[in-house]
Amino acid sequence: MKTILSTLIFFLIASISFSQSKIDKTLKKLNKESVDYIHVQALEKVSNPILLDAREKEEYDVSHLENAIWVGYDTFQLDSVIQKVQNKNSEIVVYCSIGVRSENIGEELEEAGYTNVKNLYGGIFEWKNEGYPVYDSIGNTTEQVHAFNKHWGKLLTSGEKVYDK
């Protein structure tokens, strides 16, 4: 029994490490690090951040972080955010699947004068990979996460991958 438990723990840690390594490599390749990152564990400790989801609506509807505001990516409208978040010193965390699209949205927010914008490192994939809850369109916790496509879905190692909804 002890051996089985040890083996399971080893594979769980190896899986998380492998996933983290692939997310690290992908972000280093695709991002400019123009918007400061906030890591999952650090976000968990922040009280009442404004969470902006920079994925497409169908991704958000499958699951999102609790109390996140959908702002989209292809349909992103800065004016809409300005109406919802009038205090430009508010603590804002933007996220997407892994942190690429959210970096672009974060840049737009900073250019508009928002002073406390962070990009969630690893996005909703890393959030779920680390065991934190996500919520469906009616506010219930869910194991489902929109994995965008099979290529990006490899970075999501926890939960149930959804590709179309």
Side-chain angles (χ1 to χ4, degrees), residues 15-121:
S15 172
I16 290 171
S17 297
F18 175 74
S19 160
Q20 184 62 42
S21 173
K22 290 188 81 94
I23 288 176
D24 287 342
K25 288 178 183 176
T26 303
L27 288 175
K28 281 183 173 57
K29 181 179 177 182
L30 298 176
N31 277 8
K32 301 173 285 198
E33 298 187 30
S34 57
V35 177
D36 290 340
Y37 286 121
I38 185 167
H39 290 267
V40 169
Q41 295 83 4
L43 175 55
E44 178 64 13
K45 297 174 184 170
V46 175
S47 62
N48 300 316
I50 296 171
L51 300 171
L52 301 180
D53 190 312
R55 299 174 302 147
E56 298 307 323
K57 187 73 163 107
E58 57 272 8
E59 295 172 86
Y60 175 86
D61 286 344
V62 170
S63 63
H64 51 270
L65 275 57
E66 188 173 30
N67 299 318
I69 300 167
W70 176 75
V71 297
Y73 183 73
D74 289 335
T75 58
F76 176 74
Q77 296 289 318
L78 182 60
D79 291 343
S80 175
V81 174
I82 290 171
Q83 289 175 4
K84 293 174 184 167
V85 185
Q86 295 179 354
N87 180 354
K88 292 197 174 184
N89 296 317
S90 297
E91 188 158 8
I92 298 173
V93 176
V94 187
Y95 73 91
C96 61
S97 294
I98 66 164
V100 176
R101 292 176 284 178
S102 52
E103 180 179 70
N104 296 335
I105 299 301
E107 288 174 351
E108 287 192 48
L109 293 169
E110 289 179 339
E111 288 170 15
Y114 288 91
T115 61
N116 196 5
V117 178
K118 302 281 189 282
N119 184 12
L120 181 59
Y121 191 89

Side-chain angles (χ1 to χ4, degrees), residues 60-62 64-67 134-142:
Y60 175 86
D61 286 344
V62 170
H64 51 270
L65 275 57
E66 188 173 30
N67 299 318
V134 293
Y135 297 83
D136 64 19
S137 61
I138 57 172
N140 297 320
T141 59
T142 182

